[in-house]
Amino acid sequence: MSKLRSSAAEALAGVLEDGMTIAVGGFGLCGNPNDLIEVVRDSGVTGLTVVSNNMGVDGKGLGLLLENQQVAKVIASYVGENKLFAEQYLDGTLTVEFAPQGTLSERMRAGGAGIAAFYTRAGVGTPVAEGKPLAEFDGKTYVQERAIVADVALVRACTADPAGNLVYRSSARNFNPVVATCGKVTAVEVENLSEEYLDPEHVVTPGIYVDRLVQARPRVKDIEKRTTRPRD
């Protein structure tokens, strides 16, 4: 059965529901599955729990879902440059669960690997560990972190082959590989579709994790912060 869909809307057809958990790749505005995010916005689903490193910026990326008041909870490592995200968190309209960046990545990887929980030293002695089980190993205290399994995972990749094997481009790889593993349904927007199967030695995300593929629409890639200097 082909995983390729004709549009981002078709790639998410029948899977979006109120109150669901969505894991989303990206870091700032790099490696964001923008076509798929816009489909979520246009669907009107509400009460979402979004798992992502951050929530983009105002008016772009996952910021679109915040503006549309579709998000009830965010599990993230960074509030970032999104003023609306910070405002909704501070005024109590949005619940935020902070996780150290490496812990967040490992929670998604664990979810994809069928590991229910793991122990880490990151966050011990801080609010991150409040209410969580602690255990001692080799004389040191560790905090238990639960795995994350999302109802839907949204991913951006550079190239995919007919089996859904994925490779990424440079820093746009970021959280996308672990996000791809932790979704019950994983939808991927991809810049390039290869008619030939990728060299297994180059595959980052095996196609077994990918349920639906769509060709990404051409668009100008946004830059979160542009730093320039005058030429000599």
Side-chain angles (χ1 to χ4, degrees), residues 133-179:
L134 300 176
E136 187 173 300
F137 298 95
D138 300 322
K140 296 178 181 178
T141 302
Y142 290 72
V143 59
Q144 185 190 96
E145 294 284 357
R146 295 293 303 271
I148 293 173
V149 177
D151 297 300
V152 177
L154 308 182
V155 173
R156 172 84 176 200
C158 179
T159 304
D161 67 14
N165 297 306
L166 307 178
V167 295
Y168 306 88
R169 182 177 184 273
S170 301
S171 59
R173 174 171 173 169
N174 52 62
F175 281 80
N176 278 295
V178 290
V179 168

Side-chain angles (χ1 to χ4, degrees), residues 23 149-153 178-186 209 211:
V149 177
D151 297 300
V152 177
V178 290
V179 168
T181 68
C182 77
K184 295 177 183 177
V185 176
T186 295
Y209 290 109
D211 299 291

Side-chain angles (χ1 to χ4, degrees), residues 72-222:
K73 179 180 179 179
V74 174
I75 303 176
S77 66
Y78 179 53
V79 174
E81 306 301 322
N82 193 312
K83 294 180 181 179
L84 182 58
F85 184 12
E87 290 173 3
Q88 291 185 359
Y89 168 56
L90 292 172
D91 68 21
T93 60
L94 182 68
T95 300
V96 179
E97 178 184 337
F98 285 112
Q101 200 164 84
T103 299
L104 179 65
S105 179
E106 183 64 9
R107 288 178 68 187
M108 289 188 279
R109 191 203 68 81
I115 299 169
F118 60 90
Y119 282 91
T120 175
R121 293 187 66 199
V124 172
T126 76
V128 168
E130 291 179 2
K132 298 176 182 177
L134 300 176
E136 187 173 300
F137 298 95
D138 300 322
K140 296 178 181 178
T141 302
Y142 290 72
V143 59
Q144 185 190 96
E145 294 284 357
R146 295 293 303 271
I148 293 173
V149 177
D151 297 300
V152 177
L154 308 182
V155 173
R156 172 84 176 200
C158 179
T159 304
D161 67 14
N165 297 306
L166 307 178
V167 295
Y168 306 88
R169 182 177 184 273
S170 301
S171 59
R173 174 171 173 169
N174 52 62
F175 281 80
N176 278 295
V178 290
V179 168
T181 68
C182 77
K184 295 177 183 177
V185 176
T186 295
V188 180
E189 65 179 65
V190 59
E191 295 180 37
N192 306 295
L193 289 168
S194 172
E195 295 182 359
E196 302 295 328
Y197 290 100
L198 298 174
D199 183 339
E201 296 297 328
H202 297 160
V203 170
V204 177
T205 297
I208 190 67
Y209 290 109
V210 175
D211 299 291
R212 304 178 183 190
L213 276 172
V214 63
Q215 177 96 52
R217 294 188 295 108
R219 65 170 73 211
V220 175
K221 294 184 179 181
D222 294 309

